[in-house]
Amino acid sequence: MNRQKIFFVLFASILAWTAANGKTAAQEPEILICTQCAVENVTANKYCINCGDPLAEELSRWQSERQARERQLKRFISDRVDPPRLFTVPAARVLGSMDVRVMGGGAFGVATDRSFLGTVGIGLGDIAEVEFSTVGMVTNISRGSTVFPTSAFKLMLIPENRYHIPTLAIAFRNSANWQDVQSDRKVLEAQRDLVADGIRNIGYGTRFTTMHGVTTLRLWSLSIHLGLSLTDVRVRDLTVESDYYGVYEAPEEKQKNLVGGFFGFDIEQNPQTKLMFEIQTVSNFQYNVESREIDVSEAWLAIGGVRFFFNRWLSTDVGVWYQSTFKGIADLQIKLGLNLFLPGGSLGDKVWKMSNKSDIPNS
Ligand SMILES: [Zn+2]
């Protein structure tokens, strides 16, 4: 796939650029260098191990340097733009007003197709967010997950506050239109019950709307995200071509409601890195040979990994993806995403601050 190559080239060049230019928040070694003899001492030493000179001055300089470093790290955390979601599940926060987020990524596995996922989101008035993205759905007739274009709207009901009241948001997501799903020949040939029925091709149209409520509870460096979702799935225009019974058509629309949910958490590991884990239910479309229908049920999908911030406006999400329809760990996929922010609103604030207070260091 060409898009994959483009993405990898983009990803590799950004990594290279960041490695060449980026300053990381690396920890300084905990040593004092004696001004008399230049020998390295541990910070617990009151006198130099080599010349016996008192190290009080060196210690106070080291402490003030450390405080400056800590202030810089705090500023890095408070200024960085953290996507208001984990890998795929939403958090109860929204993007800053007028901030635009562009996310590109994909899942990379050995056996399955590589579905490309992209997202564009914009924050509105610090309480709402609109998003256009592609999401994957699980089927047994095509490889990997089928990718749907969707649009979503998230509204924050209880904003982030200092009283430790959990943040609360509701969100709607629906597929832009009827989406055509066509079977993959190799996938069909790998399934015994479909081969036994002489099935050569399966196709159908589907669309869905999901409504969910999500709450985020912050406990120091740990954030817990919990959500409930109601999904209305429609399937129509089922066409099955079989060597044994010819073409079978079921044009009527079928509807199914699925109640699901998700749970996830993230932990601030250091100013540049967050550990993230999520588990959620997803719609699972399986063609049933007996009833000649598409059975829509729920499968679960889990992703665990890290979010690494290259700088305040660029971060990457890397995780390992597993879902209940996988047969074993050989089906594990690596999920890779790149989050880029175009700070519309917050950039304006910064420019204003910089022009009014010239003493803000631009580190
Ligand atoms: Zn010394």
Side-chain angles (χ1 to χ4, degrees):
M1 250 193 185
N2 247 340
R3 286 182 298 185
Q4 241 60 43
K5 275 184 196 153
I6 293 166
F7 177 71
F8 266 125
V9 169
L10 185 74
F11 190 77
S13 42
I14 287 169
L15 271 180
W17 177 83
T18 311
N21 296 287
K23 260 186 286 179
T24 56
Q27 292 292 309
E28 294 287 310
E30 304 218 334
I31 51 156
L32 301 177
I33 296 167
C34 175
T35 42
Q36 291 294 319
C37 67
V39 160
E40 290 183 358
N41 286 267
V42 292
T43 51
N45 287 3
K46 286 204 163 51
Y47 300 95
C48 176
I49 45 163
N50 184 45
C51 68
D53 207 53
L55 294 168
E57 255 176 58
E58 286 88 340
L59 183 65
S60 72
R61 199 185 315 129
W62 179 82
Q63 280 167 337
S64 66
E65 277 168 12
R66 188 178 60 176
Q67 279 170 4
R69 267 200 310 278
E70 280 169 0
R71 272 200 301 277
Q72 203 180 323
L73 292 184
K74 267 201 187 120
R75 206 163 49 227
F76 183 87
I77 294 177
S78 66
D79 280 2
R80 72 185 185 192
V81 194
D82 193 9
R85 64 198 281 176
L86 299 178
F87 291 99
T88 58
V89 308
R93 294 181 290 118
V94 293
L95 278 175
S97 192
M98 297 300 287
D99 281 356
V100 175
R101 166 183 184 245
V102 183
M103 187 266 197
F108 305 93
V110 178
T112 52
D113 193 24
R114 296 146 182 203
S115 49
F116 188 83
L117 302 167
T119 300
V120 176
I122 181 164
L124 302 169
D126 292 324
I127 63 156
E129 188 184 312
V130 186
E131 188 185 278
F132 300 94
S133 63
T134 52
V135 299
M137 279 192 164
V138 183
T139 88
N140 70 333
I141 64 161
S142 54
R143 272 189 265 188
S145 44
T146 308
V147 171
F148 287 78
T150 68
S151 52
F153 176 70
K154 180 157 76 175
L155 182 68
M156 195 158 57
L157 301 178
I158 302 176
E160 288 182 291
N161 54 75
R162 68 181 82 170
Y163 310 107
H164 298 287
I165 299 169
T167 325
L168 183 71
I170 52 164
F172 297 88
R173 175 182 296 281
N174 73 24
S175 54
N177 211 331
W178 286 94
Q179 185 69 27
D180 189 36
V181 181
Q182 290 297 329
S183 59
D184 184 286
R185 193 172 52 87
K186 283 201 175 130
V187 175
L188 293 190
E189 283 170 359
Q191 293 179 65
R192 205 175 299 160
D193 56 338
L194 300 181
V195 172
D197 225 31
I199 292 171
R200 275 186 288 117
N201 191 62
I202 301 173
Y204 57 86
T206 183
R207 69 185 189 96
F208 73 94
T209 301
T210 299
M211 192 184 112
H212 48 236
V214 53
T215 183
T216 296
L217 176 65
R218 274 189 77 166
L219 302 162
W220 300 278
S221 58
L222 171 73
S223 293
I224 297 167
H225 315 275
L226 202 64
L228 257 180
S229 62
L230 174 66
T231 306
D232 175 346
V233 183
R234 308 287 170 95
V235 175
R236 73 173 187 192
D237 296 335
L238 173 66
T239 306
V240 182
E241 287 170 42
S242 163
D243 287 335
Y244 304 152
Y245 56 78
V247 178
Y248 168 75
E249 283 181 327
E252 69 271 23
E253 184 175 317
K254 299 227 165 93
Q255 190 261 351
K256 179 139 190 194
N257 287 323
L258 296 171
V259 177
F262 54 86
F263 163 78
F265 63 83
D266 62 79
I267 301 167
E268 297 277 354
Q269 190 67 18
N270 60 51
Q272 283 188 295
T273 322
K274 273 173 123 177
L275 292 178
M276 303 198 295
F277 174 81
E278 66 180 46
I279 183 162
Q280 63 178 314
T281 55
V282 287
S283 304
N284 179 18
F285 296 74
Q286 302 278 308
Y287 177 70
N288 187 327
V289 176
E290 305 280 306
S291 63
R292 290 188 181 180
E293 276 180 359
I294 299 293
D295 287 342
V296 184
S297 61
E298 264 165 355
W300 59 263
L301 182 160
I303 312 174
V306 297
R307 171 170 294 155
F308 180 79
F309 293 86
F310 294 112
N311 55 42
R312 293 164 186 178
W313 46 267
L314 184 69
S315 57
T316 183
D317 298 343
V318 183
V320 176
W321 168 319
Y322 192 80
Q323 65 193 37
S324 55
T325 55
F326 288 171
K327 290 186 188 78
I329 57 163
D331 294 329
L332 275 178
Q333 295 189 15
I334 304 295
K335 189 179 158 60
L336 204 59
L338 202 58
N339 304 299
L340 171 70
F341 283 89
L342 310 170
S346 43
L347 181 69
D349 293 348
K350 285 239 164 57
V351 171
W352 187 86
K353 266 191 221 158
M354 297 289 269
S355 57
N356 283 274
K357 282 186 189 174
S358 53
D359 60 341
I360 293 178
N362 54 344
S363 57

